[in-house]
Amino acid sequence: MTKKSGPRGVGAGPDLRQQIEEREAPWHPRAPPPGCLLREPDVLRSDELQEAWRIFTLLLHQMEQQKPQPIPYIYGSRGPAEADELTKRVGFQHEDTYKWVNPDKL
């Protein structure tokens, strides 16, 4: 089977807007507008998309209820010290060989 370019799942033509609007409503009010939901069936199955939205929606609701604050850290650093503590706690081995390079200065 060979992939063909262009969106699939809706027919191109004058009724494209109507076909997009008739699709399922998003699960969350912050979801992308229906025009962004042109699905590529060869890339992501609809059940995978539904499950991803189910998990992401739970996370969004938790964030809306708990209103967590971001952890500040120094610009250009590897991130907050709490991230290093987490990686040690779960057994992740970090190599200090990585150095971030500003792509604008390459």
Side-chain angles (χ1 to χ4, degrees), residues 70-90:
I71 300 170
Y73 60 93
I74 298 170
Y75 174 80
S77 71
R78 288 192 0 184
E82 289 86 348
D84 289 333
E85 293 166 12
L86 173 64
T87 57
K88 286 178 188 170
R89 193 169 64 238
V90 298

Side-chain angles (χ1 to χ4, degrees), residues 14-75:
D15 61 333
L16 178 61
R17 179 181 296 278
Q18 179 183 353
Q19 291 180 46
I20 292 171
E21 289 171 355
E22 289 173 356
R23 290 188 173 269
E24 297 177 37
W27 292 271
H28 194 274
R30 292 187 186 167
C36 295
L37 297 178
L38 297 175
R39 294 189 184 129
E40 285 283 338
D42 294 337
V43 177
L44 185 66
R45 294 189 330 241
S46 61
D47 61 326
E48 293 174 312
L49 181 62
Q50 269 188 313
E51 183 63 10
W53 269 111
R54 184 189 69 78
I55 294 167
F56 188 66
T57 300
L58 292 173
L59 177 64
L60 285 175
H61 289 309
Q62 181 181 9
M63 290 174 64
E64 287 172 348
Q65 291 171 356
Q66 296 179 358
K67 302 197 184 322
Q69 294 299 309
I71 300 170
Y73 60 93
I74 298 170
Y75 174 80

Side-chain angles (χ1 to χ4, degrees), residues 92-104:
F92 179 79
Q93 297 294 319
H94 184 279
E95 301 291 329
D96 285 327
T97 57
Y98 174 79
K99 178 155 175 48
W100 182 78
V101 178
N102 185 339
D104 296 331

